[in-house]
Amino acid sequence: MKNRLPEYRKKHNLSQDKLAEMLDVTRQTIISIEKGKYNPSLPLAIRIARIFQTTVEDIFIIDE
């Protein structure tokens, strides 16, 4: 699954550390999601989308 998390994070001037803190996860989790090495759980994906006031589908793109 591809994602636009780095784009949204930078657009909102959030560091990986700050976003991790907001989501109560580690910075390593954010790094892994951004690199596509880890797909977040649905609840985590929803929390991420809410922070950026968008939909899960806008941030996470399923590879066809």
Side-chain angles (χ1 to χ4, degrees):
M1 179 165 54
K2 296 179 184 177
N3 71 76
R4 297 173 58 201
L5 185 56
E7 177 184 332
Y8 273 88
R9 186 175 54 74
K10 290 172 186 172
K11 183 176 170 183
H12 287 83
N13 295 316
L14 288 175
S15 67
Q16 291 173 331
D17 284 322
K18 182 63 177 173
L19 181 58
E21 181 183 315
M22 293 169 74
L23 293 167
D24 196 29
V25 299
T26 65
R27 180 173 171 260
Q28 187 60 44
T29 299
I30 301 301
I31 291 168
S32 294
I33 292 171
E34 288 187 357
K35 289 184 176 182
K37 293 182 178 181
Y38 171 73
N39 291 329
S41 65
L42 184 55
L44 179 55
I46 291 169
R47 288 173 32 220
I48 291 169
R50 284 184 179 159
I51 286 174
F52 298 117
Q53 299 177 342
T54 191
T55 64
V56 172
E57 294 85 356
D58 281 344
I59 298 176
F60 298 97
I61 301 107
I62 297 174
D63 293 335
E64 294 297 327

